[in-house]
Amino acid sequence: MKRLLAEDPGGPVVMLNLLRFAEGGAESYEEYARQLRETFLPRYGGEIVYAGTGSTVLVAEEGQDWDAVIIVRYPDRTAFSRMVADAGYQEVTRLRTEALTEAVLQATTAWS
């Protein structure tokens, strides 16, 4: 988190989430996502820009296909950091951890 904040160019941050579910993990992730949408994103000014199921892989190395992609925009990196530090959010992250076998979470910045 220190690196995320230290490299802050200012302005909004868009977080790329690439998800691979454990067997039966989609249901657990849906509950995590519901709580994220209903409680934590509104509290910290975040919004889901896109959420979808992985489909046909056209260009990727073997094993780089994903079950789901979610793109979430936050007003700034500090808002994301505050959400992650929220005690209530930390309680629901167990649902995310249980749901996934692999994930990528990458901060992105808009091209000028």
Side-chain angles (χ1 to χ4, degrees):
M1 195 60 65
K2 287 180 183 181
R3 183 174 165 202
L4 178 77
L5 296 173
E7 296 175 354
D8 188 356
V13 62
V14 176
M15 301 299 285
L16 170 66
N17 296 261
L18 302 173
L19 310 173
R20 188 165 294 117
F21 295 121
E23 178 125 0
E27 294 78 20
S28 180
Y29 195 87
E30 286 174 17
E31 176 58 22
Y32 163 79
R34 183 189 67 75
Q35 292 190 42
L36 188 69
R37 276 191 319 274
E38 292 177 5
T39 302
F40 301 104
L41 292 179
R43 184 179 294 170
Y44 295 99
E47 64 175 312
I48 295 174
V49 175
Y50 175 82
T53 302
S55 185
T56 306
V57 176
L58 300 175
V59 178
E61 299 292 324
E62 188 173 329
Q64 291 183 331
D65 56 325
W66 298 96
D67 294 326
V69 174
I70 302 175
I71 299 172
V72 184
R73 182 184 183 279
Y74 296 89
D76 51 45
R77 292 178 183 215
T78 302
F80 175 78
S81 176
R82 288 184 12 246
M83 183 188 80
V84 171
D86 184 301
Y89 176 79
Q90 290 181 9
E91 287 179 26
V92 300
T93 59
R94 70 170 176 74
L95 295 168
R96 183 180 192 278
T97 301
E98 292 169 359
L100 301 174
T101 60
E102 191 173 5
V104 170
L105 176 60
Q106 183 173 356
T108 70
T109 53
W111 291 349
S112 29

